[in-house]
Amino acid sequence: MKLILQDGSIAEHSFDEEIGCGALRHTASHILAQAVKRLYPETKLAIGPSIKDGFYYDLDRPEPFTDEDLTKLEAEMKKIVKENLKLERFTLPRAEAIALMQERQEPYKIELINDLPADAELSFFKQGEFIDLCAGPHVTYTSAVKAFKLTSIAGAYWRGNEKNKMLTRIYGTAFANKTDLAAYLERMEEAKKRDHRKIGKEMGLFMMSEEGPGFPFFLPNGMILKNTLIDYWRQIHTRDGYVEISTPIMLNRHLWETSGHWDHYKENMYTTVIDDTDFAIKPMNCPGGMLVYKSEMRSYRDLPMRVGELGLVHRHEKSGQLHGLMRVRCFTQDDAHLFCRPDQLKDEFLKVMDIIFIIFKALDFENFEAQISLRDKVNRDKYIGSEENWEKAESAIIEACQEKGLKAKIEYGEAAFYGPKLDFMVKDAIGRRWQLGTIQVDYNLPERFELEYTGEDNKKHRPVMIHRAPFGSMERFVAVLIEHTGGKFPLWLTPDQVAILPISEKFNDYAYEVKRQLEAEDLSVLVDDRNEKIGRKIRDTELKRIPYMLIVGEKEAENNEVSVRKQGEGDKGSMKIATFAALLNGEVEEMMNRWQKSND
């Protein structure tokens, strides 16, 4: 399809290319805005970019938009597409641009113009009677937008600032053809069913409270799941020679100034004053790890030093960005900090990659992509450390990926302020990508904290540091795991592995005897002894995603048996209690063997 690029030239690009996909969806956002102005002319336009899975437009309207409005807007958008309006790009001097927006009564556009640099080119795109301040690119005719759908309505502060007015954001998506659109919408419907907030409530895993927005509460079943993951984390790290520490949740300002967080990250930190001294709740575990390293003299023989920490960190997120366990204000980061000699760096980096691969394999996240995040090529002011150290750190990551045969996409401007990183994006069961594990090389914090070790030459040397978090954060990982599995966890991870359902109250005693025998075999079991019909108990147990149900009644009690149902598979017949216990333990043992093979 033909595109009008940001310089006004015309070029051919396909939807499969990032520029083509973005241009089509950006044009869809303009068609949405045009439809809004036709149906609700009093509405003021803010911004309407393309985004990863579609587009949105922020709008200021006296009356809130409703789902019925979306239906009307879609119909009007189809008319605009059918009209086959030509998109035309033009530029204006600043005074004329402001006059045009004043004439069209668009105050948000005027604010955007005034905030642009004095020498900025002010470009507009026109389609029919509709004109929008925009850099582009766009397709050349509205008829190219053949397949689109408005998906949801949300609130959004103007320019993302909580002090500004709350606008209405209409989300939508667009594809090159109706087949791809239908497939996407089907995935989105499946995603709604897998929403970790819905499943987490049904399974009793976690809760959120108005008393602590963004601060999750893990419930008993959620703690079993979380602790099982942590036990696995400890197992594989112990095998790889890691030690574990715990550092304070709050440390004084001097530490955060030394680390660079006070100057580069303060807006995301929670601070307080104690005894006339500024303190901050830690947003990251790293600086505490530095103090542990500095607590005694180190020799080259002590390195590499692999130090793990499951540390609770706090970061301020805007209220509109909070989302279940995906985006929270406090979370447990499965950190480790490796201190090594420069000659050990690449080998240690490769070993960390192996740990991440092991975890992904054990949890069925074998379909993943990697991204190398480097500094912005132009704006270097937001990074700390010397040019030489940055070049060494960036080269180490690139070389490690090459040696591992890992194809990693390079993204400039995505590095942390103190070092480059390698991020892993896993693909879940319905094709969505999630950023989970990360590894960072850091020459800068050892420099800032003046870390040293005595070398073989008896002189002082500076260690290199690797930051890494295979899960990323326990909270986010649990959320992704819930949505990946739909809450149907592998047996070894499931909080309640078995539900025993007596068909009436008179078989409760037998149900509890079965529970006692199964718990003696290290299985997690509950008894549903409610005075409810067996059909209701089965439905409720399925909603909780409990893998196995054991129906017990007169026949089972007489024969010392259980009638087995498996989640998603139905009736599996009757069997002795010991036989059933062996079946489940065999399933768990199979996973343990998989762990062992992964670690070997």
Side-chain angles (χ1 to χ4, degrees), residues 124-148:
F124 295 81
F125 276 82
K126 179 179 184 297
Q127 57 197 53
E129 81 286 358
F130 180 76
I131 296 173
D132 203 353
L133 173 72
C134 182
H138 286 282
V139 296
T140 51
Y141 286 89
T142 58
S143 58
V145 188
K146 294 181 176 66
F148 64 87

PDB file of all heavy atoms in Angstrom, residues 124-148:
ATOM      1  N   PHE A 124       0.237  19.121   8.869  1.00  0.00           N
ATOM      2  CA  PHE A 124      -1.157  18.748   9.063  1.00  0.00           C
ATOM      3  C   PHE A 124      -1.535  17.704   8.016  1.00  0.00           C
ATOM      4  O   PHE A 124      -0.942  17.654   6.929  1.00  0.00           O
ATOM      5  CB  PHE A 124      -2.082  19.966   8.921  1.00  0.00           C
ATOM      6  CG  PHE A 124      -1.889  21.012   9.973  1.00  0.00           C
ATOM      7  CD1 PHE A 124      -0.856  21.939   9.878  1.00  0.00           C
ATOM      8  CD2 PHE A 124      -2.739  21.085  11.069  1.00  0.00           C
ATOM      9  CE1 PHE A 124      -0.675  22.913  10.858  1.00  0.00           C
ATOM     10  CE2 PHE A 124      -2.570  22.052  12.045  1.00  0.00           C
ATOM     11  CZ  PHE A 124      -1.532  22.974  11.945  1.00  0.00           C
ATOM     12  N   PHE A 125      -2.553  16.908   8.355  1.00  0.00           N
ATOM     13  CA  PHE A 125      -3.108  15.980   7.381  1.00  0.00           C
ATOM     14  C   PHE A 125      -4.597  16.262   7.244  1.00  0.00           C
ATOM     15  O   PHE A 125      -5.314  16.438   8.232  1.00  0.00           O
ATOM     16  CB  PHE A 125      -2.881  14.526   7.805  1.00  0.00           C
ATOM     17  CG  PHE A 125      -1.526  14.012   7.422  1.00  0.00           C
ATOM     18  CD1 PHE A 125      -0.413  14.285   8.207  1.00  0.00           C
ATOM     19  CD2 PHE A 125      -1.350  13.264   6.259  1.00  0.00           C
ATOM     20  CE1 PHE A 125       0.841  13.823   7.852  1.00  0.00           C
ATOM     21  CE2 PHE A 125      -0.098  12.792   5.895  1.00  0.00           C
ATOM     22  CZ  PHE A 125       1.007  13.065   6.695  1.00  0.00           C
ATOM     23  N   LYS A 126      -5.046  16.291   5.979  1.00  0.00           N
ATOM     24  CA  LYS A 126      -6.435  16.620   5.662  1.00  0.00           C
ATOM     25  C   LYS A 126      -7.078  15.441   4.937  1.00  0.00           C
ATOM     26  O   LYS A 126      -6.467  14.815   4.076  1.00  0.00           O
ATOM     27  CB  LYS A 126      -6.469  17.858   4.755  1.00  0.00           C
ATOM     28  CG  LYS A 126      -7.838  18.305   4.319  1.00  0.00           C
ATOM     29  CD  LYS A 126      -7.730  19.556   3.435  1.00  0.00           C
ATOM     30  CE  LYS A 126      -9.112  20.090   3.060  1.00  0.00           C
ATOM     31  NZ  LYS A 126      -9.913  19.158   2.251  1.00  0.00           N
ATOM     32  N   GLN A 127      -8.319  15.126   5.324  1.00  0.00           N
ATOM     33  CA  GLN A 127      -9.126  14.137   4.597  1.00  0.00           C
ATOM     34  C   GLN A 127     -10.554  14.652   4.579  1.00  0.00           C
ATOM     35  O   GLN A 127     -11.215  14.725   5.604  1.00  0.00           O
ATOM     36  CB  GLN A 127      -9.030  12.759   5.255  1.00  0.00           C
ATOM     37  CG  GLN A 127      -9.441  12.724   6.718  1.00  0.00           C
ATOM     38  CD  GLN A 127      -8.963  11.478   7.440  1.00  0.00           C
ATOM     39  OE1 GLN A 127      -7.779  11.147   7.411  1.00  0.00           O
ATOM     40  NE2 GLN A 127      -9.887  10.783   8.110  1.00  0.00           N
ATOM     41  N   GLY A 128     -11.011  15.059   3.409  1.00  0.00           N
ATOM     42  CA  GLY A 128     -12.326  15.685   3.330  1.00  0.00           C
ATOM     43  C   GLY A 128     -12.350  16.966   4.146  1.00  0.00           C
ATOM     44  O   GLY A 128     -11.454  17.811   4.046  1.00  0.00           O
ATOM     45  N   GLU A 129     -13.383  17.091   5.007  1.00  0.00           N
ATOM     46  CA  GLU A 129     -13.506  18.304   5.831  1.00  0.00           C
ATOM     47  C   GLU A 129     -12.638  18.236   7.098  1.00  0.00           C
ATOM     48  O   GLU A 129     -12.518  19.216   7.833  1.00  0.00           O
ATOM     49  CB  GLU A 129     -14.975  18.495   6.235  1.00  0.00           C
ATOM     50  CG  GLU A 129     -15.458  17.656   7.421  1.00  0.00           C
ATOM     51  CD  GLU A 129     -15.684  16.167   7.125  1.00  0.00           C
ATOM     52  OE1 GLU A 129     -15.503  15.761   5.964  1.00  0.00           O
ATOM     53  OE2 GLU A 129     -16.046  15.424   8.052  1.00  0.00           O
ATOM     54  N   PHE A 130     -12.008  17.094   7.349  1.00  0.00           N
ATOM     55  CA  PHE A 130     -11.266  16.884   8.599  1.00  0.00           C
ATOM     56  C   PHE A 130      -9.795  17.260   8.433  1.00  0.00           C
ATOM     57  O   PHE A 130      -9.144  16.871   7.450  1.00  0.00           O
ATOM     58  CB  PHE A 130     -11.370  15.423   9.025  1.00  0.00           C
ATOM     59  CG  PHE A 130     -10.637  15.101  10.300  1.00  0.00           C
ATOM     60  CD1 PHE A 130     -11.147  15.469  11.530  1.00  0.00           C
ATOM     61  CD2 PHE A 130      -9.414  14.437  10.258  1.00  0.00           C
ATOM     62  CE1 PHE A 130     -10.467  15.174  12.706  1.00  0.00           C
ATOM     63  CE2 PHE A 130      -8.737  14.138  11.428  1.00  0.00           C
ATOM     64  CZ  PHE A 130      -9.257  14.507  12.658  1.00  0.00           C
ATOM     65  N   ILE A 131      -9.272  18.018   9.413  1.00  0.00           N
ATOM     66  CA  ILE A 131      -7.858  18.411   9.434  1.00  0.00           C
ATOM     67  C   ILE A 131      -7.310  18.124  10.824  1.00  0.00           C
ATOM     68  O   ILE A 131      -7.960  18.425  11.835  1.00  0.00           O
ATOM     69  CB  ILE A 131      -7.674  19.906   9.099  1.00  0.00           C
ATOM     70  CG1 ILE A 131      -8.137  20.200   7.666  1.00  0.00           C
ATOM     71  CG2 ILE A 131      -6.206  20.328   9.271  1.00  0.00           C
ATOM     72  CD1 ILE A 131      -8.135  21.673   7.327  1.00  0.00           C
ATOM     73  N   ASP A 132      -6.103  17.548  10.869  1.00  0.00           N
ATOM     74  CA  ASP A 132      -5.491  17.257  12.174  1.00  0.00           C
ATOM     75  C   ASP A 132      -4.006  17.601  12.139  1.00  0.00           C
ATOM     76  O   ASP A 132      -3.320  17.347  11.139  1.00  0.00           O
ATOM     77  CB  ASP A 132      -5.663  15.783  12.524  1.00  0.00           C
ATOM     78  CG  ASP A 132      -5.565  15.530  14.031  1.00  0.00           C
ATOM     79  OD1 ASP A 132      -5.240  16.474  14.774  1.00  0.00           O
ATOM     80  OD2 ASP A 132      -5.827  14.389  14.453  1.00  0.00           O
ATOM     81  N   LEU A 133      -3.542  18.198  13.240  1.00  0.00           N
ATOM     82  CA  LEU A 133      -2.106  18.426  13.437  1.00  0.00           C
ATOM     83  C   LEU A 133      -1.442  17.060  13.581  1.00  0.00           C
ATOM     84  O   LEU A 133      -1.784  16.283  14.466  1.00  0.00           O
ATOM     85  CB  LEU A 133      -1.889  19.254  14.704  1.00  0.00           C
ATOM     86  CG  LEU A 133      -0.444  19.459  15.160  1.00  0.00           C
ATOM     87  CD1 LEU A 133       0.283  20.420  14.230  1.00  0.00           C
ATOM     88  CD2 LEU A 133      -0.418  19.975  16.602  1.00  0.00           C
ATOM     89  N   CYS A 134      -0.484  16.753  12.701  1.00  0.00           N
ATOM     90  CA  CYS A 134       0.051  15.395  12.715  1.00  0.00           C
ATOM     91  C   CYS A 134       1.332  15.313  11.901  1.00  0.00           C
ATOM     92  O   CYS A 134       1.461  15.941  10.850  1.00  0.00           O
ATOM     93  CB  CYS A 134      -0.989  14.435  12.130  1.00  0.00           C
ATOM     94  SG  CYS A 134      -0.483  12.717  12.149  1.00  0.00           S
ATOM     95  N   ALA A 135       2.268  14.496  12.392  1.00  0.00           N
ATOM     96  CA  ALA A 135       3.527  14.286  11.673  1.00  0.00           C
ATOM     97  C   ALA A 135       3.427  13.150  10.660  1.00  0.00           C
ATOM     98  O   ALA A 135       4.248  13.043   9.762  1.00  0.00           O
ATOM     99  CB  ALA A 135       4.652  13.994  12.664  1.00  0.00           C
ATOM    100  N   GLY A 136       2.421  12.262  10.819  1.00  0.00           N
ATOM    101  CA  GLY A 136       2.290  11.116   9.923  1.00  0.00           C
ATOM    102  C   GLY A 136       3.136   9.953  10.418  1.00  0.00           C
ATOM    103  O   GLY A 136       3.639   9.977  11.548  1.00  0.00           O
ATOM    104  N   PRO A 137       3.339   8.913   9.605  1.00  0.00           N
ATOM    105  CA  PRO A 137       2.836   8.750   8.235  1.00  0.00           C
ATOM    106  C   PRO A 137       1.391   8.255   8.201  1.00  0.00           C
ATOM    107  O   PRO A 137       0.841   7.847   9.224  1.00  0.00           O
ATOM    108  CB  PRO A 137       3.792   7.695   7.659  1.00  0.00           C
ATOM    109  CG  PRO A 137       4.155   6.852   8.837  1.00  0.00           C
ATOM    110  CD  PRO A 137       4.229   7.792  10.014  1.00  0.00           C
ATOM    111  N   HIS A 138       0.816   8.282   6.969  1.00  0.00           N
ATOM    112  CA  HIS A 138      -0.547   7.818   6.752  1.00  0.00           C
ATOM    113  C   HIS A 138      -0.642   7.094   5.421  1.00  0.00           C
ATOM    114  O   HIS A 138       0.246   7.230   4.565  1.00  0.00           O
ATOM    115  CB  HIS A 138      -1.528   8.999   6.746  1.00  0.00           C
ATOM    116  CG  HIS A 138      -1.790   9.574   8.102  1.00  0.00           C
ATOM    117  ND1 HIS A 138      -2.639   8.982   9.008  1.00  0.00           N
ATOM    118  CD2 HIS A 138      -1.315  10.688   8.703  1.00  0.00           C
ATOM    119  CE1 HIS A 138      -2.676   9.707  10.120  1.00  0.00           C
ATOM    120  NE2 HIS A 138      -1.876  10.745   9.967  1.00  0.00           N
ATOM    121  N   VAL A 139      -1.729   6.335   5.258  1.00  0.00           N
ATOM    122  CA  VAL A 139      -2.023   5.790   3.936  1.00  0.00           C
ATOM    123  C   VAL A 139      -2.564   6.931   3.083  1.00  0.00           C
ATOM    124  O   VAL A 139      -2.890   8.009   3.592  1.00  0.00           O
ATOM    125  CB  VAL A 139      -3.035   4.627   4.017  1.00  0.00           C
ATOM    126  CG1 VAL A 139      -2.444   3.469   4.799  1.00  0.00           C
ATOM    127  CG2 VAL A 139      -4.348   5.079   4.641  1.00  0.00           C
ATOM    128  N   THR A 140      -2.680   6.715   1.779  1.00  0.00           N
ATOM    129  CA  THR A 140      -3.045   7.819   0.880  1.00  0.00           C
ATOM    130  C   THR A 140      -4.552   8.014   0.732  1.00  0.00           C
ATOM    131  O   THR A 140      -4.998   9.108   0.391  1.00  0.00           O
ATOM    132  CB  THR A 140      -2.424   7.596  -0.505  1.00  0.00           C
ATOM    133  OG1 THR A 140      -2.752   6.272  -0.949  1.00  0.00           O
ATOM    134  CG2 THR A 140      -0.902   7.726  -0.442  1.00  0.00           C
ATOM    135  N   TYR A 141      -5.342   6.944   0.999  1.00  0.00           N
ATOM    136  CA  TYR A 141      -6.795   7.055   0.890  1.00  0.00           C
ATOM    137  C   TYR A 141      -7.451   6.306   2.058  1.00  0.00           C
ATOM    138  O   TYR A 141      -6.969   5.264   2.490  1.00  0.00           O
ATOM    139  CB  TYR A 141      -7.303   6.459  -0.432  1.00  0.00           C
ATOM    140  CG  TYR A 141      -7.015   7.338  -1.638  1.00  0.00           C
ATOM    141  CD1 TYR A 141      -5.820   7.200  -2.340  1.00  0.00           C
ATOM    142  CD2 TYR A 141      -7.931   8.304  -2.061  1.00  0.00           C
ATOM    143  CE1 TYR A 141      -5.537   7.999  -3.432  1.00  0.00           C
ATOM    144  CE2 TYR A 141      -7.654   9.115  -3.164  1.00  0.00           C
ATOM    145  CZ  TYR A 141      -6.462   8.955  -3.843  1.00  0.00           C
ATOM    146  OH  TYR A 141      -6.193   9.765  -4.920  1.00  0.00           O
ATOM    147  N   THR A 142      -8.580   6.832   2.521  1.00  0.00           N
ATOM    148  CA  THR A 142      -9.267   6.189   3.644  1.00  0.00           C
ATOM    149  C   THR A 142      -9.764   4.787   3.289  1.00  0.00           C
ATOM    150  O   THR A 142      -9.958   3.958   4.174  1.00  0.00           O
ATOM    151  CB  THR A 142     -10.473   7.035   4.110  1.00  0.00           C
ATOM    152  OG1 THR A 142     -11.382   7.228   3.011  1.00  0.00           O
ATOM    153  CG2 THR A 142     -10.011   8.392   4.639  1.00  0.00           C
ATOM    154  N   SER A 143      -9.956   4.503   2.015  1.00  0.00           N
ATOM    155  CA  SER A 143     -10.469   3.189   1.609  1.00  0.00           C
ATOM    156  C   SER A 143      -9.505   2.060   1.950  1.00  0.00           C
ATOM    157  O   SER A 143      -9.892   0.880   1.945  1.00  0.00           O
ATOM    158  CB  SER A 143     -10.754   3.170   0.104  1.00  0.00           C
ATOM    159  OG  SER A 143      -9.573   3.472  -0.620  1.00  0.00           O
ATOM    160  N   ALA A 144      -8.242   2.390   2.271  1.00  0.00           N
ATOM    161  CA  ALA A 144      -7.262   1.358   2.629  1.00  0.00           C
ATOM    162  C   ALA A 144      -7.577   0.731   3.989  1.00  0.00           C
ATOM    163  O   ALA A 144      -7.145  -0.384   4.281  1.00  0.00           O
ATOM    164  CB  ALA A 144      -5.852   1.937   2.641  1.00  0.00           C
ATOM    165  N   VAL A 145      -8.343   1.455   4.808  1.00  0.00           N
ATOM    166  CA  VAL A 145      -8.659   0.967   6.161  1.00  0.00           C
ATOM    167  C   VAL A 145      -9.926   0.114   6.082  1.00  0.00           C
ATOM    168  O   VAL A 145     -11.015   0.536   6.466  1.00  0.00           O
ATOM    169  CB  VAL A 145      -8.818   2.138   7.149  1.00  0.00           C
ATOM    170  CG1 VAL A 145      -8.953   1.621   8.574  1.00  0.00           C
ATOM    171  CG2 VAL A 145      -7.636   3.092   7.051  1.00  0.00           C
ATOM    172  N   LYS A 146      -9.762  -1.102   5.623  1.00  0.00           N
ATOM    173  CA  LYS A 146     -10.910  -1.963   5.322  1.00  0.00           C
ATOM    174  C   LYS A 146     -11.410  -2.745   6.533  1.00  0.00           C
ATOM    175  O   LYS A 146     -12.573  -3.147   6.576  1.00  0.00           O
ATOM    176  CB  LYS A 146     -10.535  -2.957   4.218  1.00  0.00           C
ATOM    177  CG  LYS A 146     -10.241  -2.318   2.861  1.00  0.00           C
ATOM    178  CD  LYS A 146      -9.913  -3.385   1.838  1.00  0.00           C
ATOM    179  CE  LYS A 146      -9.721  -2.793   0.446  1.00  0.00           C
ATOM    180  NZ  LYS A 146      -8.542  -1.928   0.357  1.00  0.00           N
ATOM    181  N   ALA A 147     -10.538  -3.018   7.483  1.00  0.00           N
ATOM    182  CA  ALA A 147     -10.896  -3.889   8.603  1.00  0.00           C
ATOM    183  C   ALA A 147     -10.510  -3.223   9.917  1.00  0.00           C
ATOM    184  O   ALA A 147      -9.333  -3.103  10.230  1.00  0.00           O
ATOM    185  CB  ALA A 147     -10.199  -5.237   8.468  1.00  0.00           C
ATOM    186  N   PHE A 148     -11.498  -2.789  10.688  1.00  0.00           N
ATOM    187  CA  PHE A 148     -11.220  -2.109  11.953  1.00  0.00           C
ATOM    188  C   PHE A 148     -12.322  -2.417  12.958  1.00  0.00           C
ATOM    189  O   PHE A 148     -13.399  -2.891  12.609  1.00  0.00           O
ATOM    190  CB  PHE A 148     -11.093  -0.593  11.754  1.00  0.00           C
ATOM    191  CG  PHE A 148     -12.354   0.064  11.273  1.00  0.00           C
ATOM    192  CD1 PHE A 148     -13.325   0.497  12.164  1.00  0.00           C
ATOM    193  CD2 PHE A 148     -12.586   0.237   9.914  1.00  0.00           C
ATOM    194  CE1 PHE A 148     -14.500   1.088  11.725  1.00  0.00           C
ATOM    195  CE2 PHE A 148     -13.768   0.820   9.461  1.00  0.00           C
ATOM    196  CZ  PHE A 148     -14.719   1.250  10.365  1.00  0.00           C
TER     197      PHE A 148
END
